[in-house]
Amino acid sequence: MAIDKQHYVLCSHCDLVIELADITVGHKAVCPRCNTTLAKNSCNMKFRSAMYAACSLIMIIVACGFVFIDIRIVGNYIGVSVLDIPKTLYFDKYSYVSALFILFVLLFPIFNLLIIVLLCSRIQLTKYRKRDLLIVYEKFQHWCMPEIFLTGVLVSFVKLMSYGSIGVTGTFWSFCLFVFFYIKSLVIFSPEVIWDEIHRNNFAVNTLKAGKTGISQNLKLCNCCQAILPMNYEKCPRCKQKSKIRDHDKIQWTIALLVTSLILYIPANLFGIMITVVFGSASTSTIIDGVIYMWQSGDIPVALVIFIASVVIPILKIISLSWLCYFALAVKQKNKNNCLKMKKLYTAVEFIGKWSMIDIFVVSVICSLVRNQQMMGVYPDIGVTFFASVVIITMIASQKFDPRLIWDRPQNRKIGQ
């Protein structure tokens, strides 16, 4: 399927109006100003997306039904399934972390896979139903983390080997296939194609001028479906969502959330994240304690992974978002190179933000497996709750930030207010 000629798009990152010609199969169009991907043309997009999504759903059903991984501690066998992990957290009175696990690792990815199957299959859906499914897909997409959980499982194996003998079953490989097929379906799936089936993306009254910003042509972008709208439209005709030319309140939200995450980051590192009980004697370990243990044990790569994901990334994300807010609000003299650097910084923050959850998943796996009640047990501690909150709040902060403010000139800020 080729994109029609005279097809215009408005870049969601730099607000540039671009006219797209035909895109050949297997290629994509990028913004000439900020290098953001604007559209792609995948071969048999619907069929391949639906096929991979269906395979992924089959694999997760298998993965949830049987023992996932097991451990032998002093002759005792302990095995857990994927569903046993949130159940253990719930019984340990960490229902908050348990709910996050269920939502981020299971429910949200499964819902999105089902949406892909429905939208890409031959099931007859009204344009209103397609619209609702696409809106749900977009909202869930930022919070899907099965690949991060799988990485956390692999990291936890290093720690678990100090407790006993680790074993994996066929169910573990089913979960690996679930993650693989899930990623493949997301890479191939193109929501823009489905939105175009509902309605064209251009609602502008006047002729668009490619190479100029949308705000200079009295145009704005729908943040939900990426439609091009005149400034006076309060709601997008295609997705029925409210739209603003620029939402400067979001920067205030971003700053407030960053301050909150910085406050929570202190107890997240001061309080323990795991309690290890050996023959009735309890000891608490913090995130830094876990890094030091891995380093002293000779597992330097794993120690670096945990240190970067759990210590470096949250701090860098807070600093980076703060710098982005300063650049958007205070810097008046902007050139393309500086704006492009800020855009790359924002893209990196968006990508790496949720990987800090890896430490939460490592704790979840270890606490679920090491449960030899008479000799040894590992339990979550209050630091897990604080740290999970830091990750979630910083993710919300990055989503609140409008990257188009990076490129706006001072005169454009007044128009958007």
Side-chain angles (χ1 to χ4, degrees):
M1 173 182 157
I3 294 179
D4 296 336
K5 294 180 179 179
Q6 304 298 319
H7 180 77
Y8 291 91
V9 294
L10 190 56
C11 180
S12 61
H13 275 259
C14 71
D15 198 44
L16 190 70
V17 176
I18 300 128
E19 181 182 354
L20 295 183
D22 291 342
I23 300 177
T24 55
V25 175
H27 291 75
K28 63 182 180 180
V30 298
C31 175
R33 189 184 189 193
C34 67
N35 298 324
T36 298
T37 299
L38 302 172
K40 58 185 178 180
N41 189 1
S42 302
C43 179
N44 297 323
M45 185 277 290
K46 286 190 174 183
F47 173 75
R48 294 171 65 208
S49 297
M51 179 188 68
Y52 282 118
C55 291
S56 184
L57 288 170
I58 293 172
M59 290 298 104
I60 191 58
I61 292 173
V62 174
C64 288
F66 304 95
V67 171
F68 179 59
I69 48 179
D70 58 65
I71 186 171
R72 285 174 173 81
I73 304 176
V74 197
N76 292 327
Y77 168 86
I78 304 171
V80 296
S81 67
V82 176
L83 294 179
D84 288 332
I85 296 174
K87 189 186 301 181
T88 302
L89 292 170
Y90 177 79
F91 285 130
D92 285 340
K93 298 182 179 180
Y94 281 86
S95 55
Y96 171 64
V97 181
S98 175
L100 294 181
F101 181 95
I102 293 173
L103 292 175
F104 296 165
V105 179
L106 298 174
L107 289 187
F108 287 172
I110 289 173
F111 283 154
N112 271 6
L113 289 169
L114 289 171
I115 289 172
I116 291 175
V117 171
L118 289 173
L119 292 175
C120 296
S121 64
R122 295 185 178 180
I123 299 174
Q124 296 298 320
L125 299 173
T126 64
K127 63 179 182 179
Y128 305 106
R129 190 62 59 211
K130 289 181 179 179
R131 178 195 68 196
D132 295 340
L133 290 174
L134 284 169
I135 291 173
V136 173
Y137 175 87
E138 180 64 25
K139 291 185 181 299
F140 285 174
Q141 187 54 38
H142 298 287
W143 302 99
C144 295
M145 306 181 188
E147 73 280 9
I148 300 174
F149 169 68
L150 180 59
T151 307
V153 172
L154 298 177
V155 170
S156 68
F157 284 172
V158 179
K159 177 75 173 177
L160 287 167
M161 283 190 293
S162 63
Y163 295 114
S165 176
I166 304 298
V168 296
T169 65
T171 305
F172 173 79
W173 302 113
S174 296
F175 191 87
C176 293
L177 288 174
F178 157 68
V179 174
F180 173 76
F181 290 138
Y182 168 78
I183 294 173
K184 286 288 291 184
S185 64
L186 291 190
V187 170
I188 297 170
F189 181 62
S190 179
E192 295 82 8
V193 174
I194 311 299
W195 279 119
D196 287 339
E197 291 178 356
I198 297 173
H199 196 282
R200 61 186 177 87
N201 78 315
N202 185 4
F203 293 90
V205 178
N206 301 320
T207 303
L208 300 182
K209 298 177 182 178
K212 293 187 176 182
T213 60
I215 198 170
S216 67
Q217 302 179 58
N218 294 321
L219 299 172
K220 62 182 179 179
L221 183 73
C222 175
N223 292 326
C224 178
C225 70
Q226 310 297 302
I228 303 173
L229 310 173
M231 277 192 184
N232 60 345
Y233 278 37
E234 292 186 3
K235 286 187 177 182
C236 174
R238 186 161 71 169
C239 66
K240 307 302 179 184
Q241 302 295 303
K242 290 184 178 181
S243 179
K244 291 184 178 181
I245 182 68
R246 294 288 189 274
D247 194 349
H248 289 79
D249 292 341
K250 286 189 174 182
I251 283 198
Q252 298 175 10
W253 269 104
T254 299
I255 295 172
L257 290 169
L258 289 176
V259 173
T260 304
S261 63
L262 190 59
I263 293 171
L264 291 175
Y265 186 73
I266 297 172
N269 283 274
L270 292 179
F271 290 119
I273 61 170
M274 282 195 309
I275 301 174
T276 303
V277 180
V278 180
F279 296 111
S281 177
S283 61
T284 300
S285 60
T286 63
I287 295 174
I288 297 298
D289 291 335
V291 174
I292 294 173
Y293 174 83
M294 293 292 184
W295 187 279
Q296 292 177 343
S297 300
D299 301 312
I300 296 177
V302 177
L304 290 175
V305 169
I306 296 177
F307 179 74
I308 292 172
S310 303
V311 179
V312 176
I313 287 180
I315 287 293
L316 285 181
K317 188 170 185 180
I318 293 172
I319 294 173
S320 299
L321 285 173
S322 301
W323 177 245
L324 285 167
C325 291
Y326 169 79
F327 185 86
L329 290 175
V331 177
K332 296 181 179 179
Q333 300 297 326
K334 299 179 179 179
N335 57 55
K336 182 179 178 180
N337 288 334
N338 288 338
C339 291
L340 196 56
K341 289 177 182 178
M342 291 297 106
K343 185 265 176 181
K344 291 179 179 178
L345 178 62
Y346 175 74
T347 303
V349 167
E350 277 281 271
F351 175 76
I352 66 174
K354 61 185 181 181
W355 279 91
S356 297
M357 283 293 291
I358 189 172
D359 211 31
I360 303 299
F361 294 141
V362 169
V363 172
S364 301
V365 173
I366 293 174
C367 293
S368 300
L369 275 173
V370 184
R371 286 299 171 96
N372 189 335
Q373 300 291 342
Q374 296 180 348
M375 300 182 61
M376 179 184 296
V378 179
Y379 306 89
D381 203 357
I382 188 64
V384 171
T385 302
F386 283 109
F387 189 77
S389 299
V390 170
V391 178
I392 292 170
I393 291 172
T394 52
M395 287 180 65
I396 297 173
S398 65
Q399 292 172 26
K400 288 289 184 182
F401 183 80
D402 189 344
R404 293 172 297 178
L405 296 173
I406 295 172
W407 300 84
D408 279 351
R409 306 301 178 190
Q411 64 270 23
N412 291 339
R413 295 177 191 168
K414 296 179 181 179
I415 296 173
Q417 287 175 344

